[in-house]
Amino acid sequence: MTAVDQDLVFAGVARQAQLVRDREVSPRELVAFLLERIAQLDPVLNAFRVVLGEQAMAEAARVERRLAAGEVLPLAGVPVAVKDDTDVAGVSSMCGTGIDTGPVSSDSAAVRRLRAAGAVIIGKTHLPEFGAVPMCESPTWGVTRNPWHLDRTTGGSSGGSAAAVAAGMVPGALGTDGGGSVRIPAACCGLVGLKGQRGWISTMQSPERAYRFHGLHHIGTLARSVVDAALLHDAMAGAEPNDEITSASPAPALTDAVSRAPRRLRVAISFKPVVPVPVSEEVRRPVLETAELLRSLGHEVVERDPSYPPAATLAVFALMMNGLAHEIDRLPTPELLERRIRAEGRTARLVPDWLAHRALAMRDRMSERGLRPIADCDVLMTPVLAKPPVPVGHLEGLGPTRAMARVLAFMPFTPPQNYTGQPAMSIPAGVSADGVPEAVHLVGRPHDGSTLVSLAAQLESVRPWAHHRPPAARYPAPAQG
């Protein structure tokens, strides 16, 4: 691959769209180029469940006609990958399982809005079964490999989307986040992972599918830069008439915030996880270094912990388990699920609907109580993970109880924002000595995504990261085991 090719591959969403609008590359040329790269890299990385080559080329041709007719398209011809729990018309949504319920009849609201903005849907990406763990591995689809380090996890559950973006197979991707599932793989793969305020992006699926995760589930974006993540978010933003959960605030134009320097902010830093697990020095250090950078930029940094009551943690567990039970119950052949998920499903059925409804009823009160200690702060900064990306197979052979203990020991910082609904994002903070990306987690005030994105863009401007790329365009065969 030439340097020019590499520059196009890693140009990002905004730049690729501009190249198309300037007629330096056509949508069909761009899609064909990335389809070739997917064919080259995906046999090793295993990011895609299905590649929609023929459909993507046809859609690129339609985008060309729309541009010729004078339409203004913010995502003009940009190829985008979609996580395989989000509906794309004519394609199955298998949610990481081996159960094919057939192609869905229509796009999800988010995918429909991406197409309206000129994006080309190039394929659907892997996740673990129902996104239930923060690693992208399943008995049906195997291991999705991290382009930075093939033997480390991509994170999850949007691991396929993250691997596809990190390797330059697509400039951006749609992910979903029910407890950190956009932010965790972004951290593991050296990307920006943005989850907006609950309700800013509709989670509405096709008529034959409906989520019952009680507002924990958010749709988010994975990209190489803050502006790219914001551009994708803005393209998908908007409510639908029958949304499960709506937002009390309209989605702001986050791309406007990228170019707007933040005022002097008070930033709280915290290393207190929501469950008592060790937090390694490897993930503390990037937070402390970023805190010093923030001080040098004129911001005030204070050490301050949120204080989520135990009832809030139990409420999150109740909502997640009740949602999982409903997802399993809609399947025609649940016996085909992996053994651990079947066991979790039996536990999930012990959480009745009335208990989930009670957890919802107490959400605002518990959220306000948990955030009260940092109410005078503009942004909260924590690690994304409690330890660096773990080796693949981290949960191999474990039953549900031991697996859950390992999951909580890995990702104790990201679930609260799915309960409170706050905007949050993972941003890169460097690469460790052993070649693994580092990251920090930024959380905005409820309904304030603009300050969050503005601060992230400022950090990106003084500590650029989009030029960092995985070590090779071609990858050796992964280690066995």
Side-chain angles (χ1 to χ4, degrees):
M1 178 174 286
T2 68
V4 173
D5 292 340
Q6 285 276 7
D7 288 343
L8 179 60
V9 162
F10 292 105
V13 175
R15 180 60 181 154
Q16 286 188 8
Q18 189 60 54
L19 290 171
V20 169
R21 285 192 293 269
D22 292 343
R23 299 187 179 183
E24 294 187 36
V25 64
S26 74
R28 280 182 288 182
E29 289 170 336
L30 183 56
V31 169
F33 184 72
L34 290 182
L35 285 172
E36 182 179 343
R37 185 163 174 83
I38 291 169
Q40 175 194 23
L41 297 183
D42 203 51
V44 170
L45 296 178
N46 190 34
F48 284 89
R49 202 271 294 174
V50 60
V51 178
L52 305 173
E54 185 176 335
Q55 298 95 315
M57 290 299 293
E59 189 167 6
R62 288 192 292 273
V63 170
E64 289 179 8
R65 292 193 291 270
R66 292 171 65 189
L67 290 168
E71 284 195 57
V72 178
L73 303 176
L75 299 179
V78 173
V80 174
V82 174
K83 185 178 178 182
D84 197 28
D85 63 352
T86 304
D87 288 349
V88 172
V91 186
S92 301
S93 290
M94 297 184 69
C95 301
T97 75
I99 303 169
D100 189 345
T101 56
V104 299
S105 60
S106 61
D107 288 334
S108 63
V111 169
R112 186 180 73 245
R113 290 173 186 268
L114 285 173
R115 292 193 204 268
V120 174
I121 307 305
I122 203 167
K124 300 197 75 180
T125 55
H126 286 310
L127 66 154
E129 287 195 352
F130 293 121
V133 295
M135 297 89 187
C136 196
E137 305 171 29
S138 73
T140 302
W141 305 108
V143 175
T144 296
R145 301 279 171 177
N146 190 325
W148 287 92
H149 196 304
L150 295 178
D151 294 326
R152 298 290 186 99
T153 184
T154 59
S157 61
S158 306
S161 287
V165 177
M169 291 190 277
V170 288
L174 179 156
T176 57
D177 191 312
S181 289
V182 163
R183 292 162 285 159
I184 292 165
C188 292
C189 294
L191 302 173
V192 177
L194 172 61
K195 178 198 82 67
Q197 176 72 29
R198 177 172 41 240
W200 280 355
I201 297 176
S202 171
T203 58
M204 186 64 63
Q205 299 292 319
S206 58
E208 54 266 42
R209 292 187 66 234
Y211 279 117
R212 291 286 300 275
F213 279 101
H214 310 294
L216 294 178
H217 180 89
H218 296 59
I219 289 177
T221 63
L222 292 128
R224 299 185 61 78
S225 69
V226 174
V227 67
D228 287 352
L231 187 58
L232 290 170
H233 182 281
D234 287 356
M236 291 188 287
E240 294 290 317
N242 297 316
D243 277 339
E244 176 194 14
I245 301 288
T246 57
S247 173
S249 64
L254 296 181
T255 47
D256 292 345
V258 172
S259 57
R260 187 169 61 241
R263 57 180 171 79
R264 185 174 187 266
L265 302 175
R266 174 177 286 178
V267 179
I269 64 169
S270 173
F271 298 102
K272 181 181 178 182
V274 293
V275 290
V277 298
V279 180
S280 74
E281 289 302 315
E282 292 97 326
V283 299
R284 288 174 179 266
R285 180 179 46 77
V287 174
L288 294 171
E289 291 174 352
T290 303
E292 288 305 308
L293 179 58
L294 288 169
R295 291 187 179 99
S296 74
L297 294 170
H299 301 295
E300 180 185 3
V301 179
V302 297
E303 294 189 20
R304 196 84 60 78
D305 295 326
S307 183
Y308 301 109
T313 302
L314 293 174
V316 172
F317 179 79
L319 293 173
M320 294 181 75
M321 296 303 281
N322 184 260
L324 178 63
H326 281 287
E327 282 289 286
I328 291 175
D329 286 346
R330 71 176 178 81
L331 295 175
T333 52
E335 66 274 10
L336 298 180
L337 294 171
E338 63 174 294
R339 178 177 59 85
R340 186 169 60 236
I341 293 297
R342 294 199 307 272
E344 287 186 12
R346 290 191 291 271
T347 303
R349 290 187 184 91
L350 300 177
V351 180
D353 288 349
W354 67 262
L355 185 57
H357 294 152
R358 179 173 293 182
L360 280 175
M362 63 189 287
R363 179 163 59 195
D364 289 347
R365 185 174 73 257
M366 289 294 99
S367 297
E368 188 277 333
R369 180 178 167 187
L371 297 175
R372 196 177 299 157
I374 58 170
D376 62 337
C377 297
D378 300 290
V379 173
L380 169 68
M381 181 168 65
T382 74
V384 182
L385 305 166
K387 61 181 73 173
V390 295
V392 298
H394 190 60
L395 305 180
E396 187 72 28
L398 300 182
T401 301
R402 292 176 63 201
M404 180 59 69
R406 285 199 177 183
V407 164
L408 292 175
F410 183 53
M411 51 156 285
F413 290 101
T414 54
Q417 296 78 44
N418 296 84
Y419 188 60
T420 64
Q422 293 166 267
M425 60 195 303
S426 172
I427 61 172
V431 180
S432 70
D434 58 353
V436 176
E438 299 174 328
V440 298
H441 185 219
L442 301 179
V443 182
R445 291 176 182 265
H447 304 281
D448 185 11
S450 295
T451 299
L452 176 71
V453 167
S454 179
L455 180 63
Q458 184 184 44
L459 287 169
E460 181 183 55
S461 70
V462 296
R463 186 176 62 192
W465 55 69
H467 65 283
H468 289 293
R469 300 170 182 176
R474 291 182 179 272
Y475 299 94
Q480 298 300 310

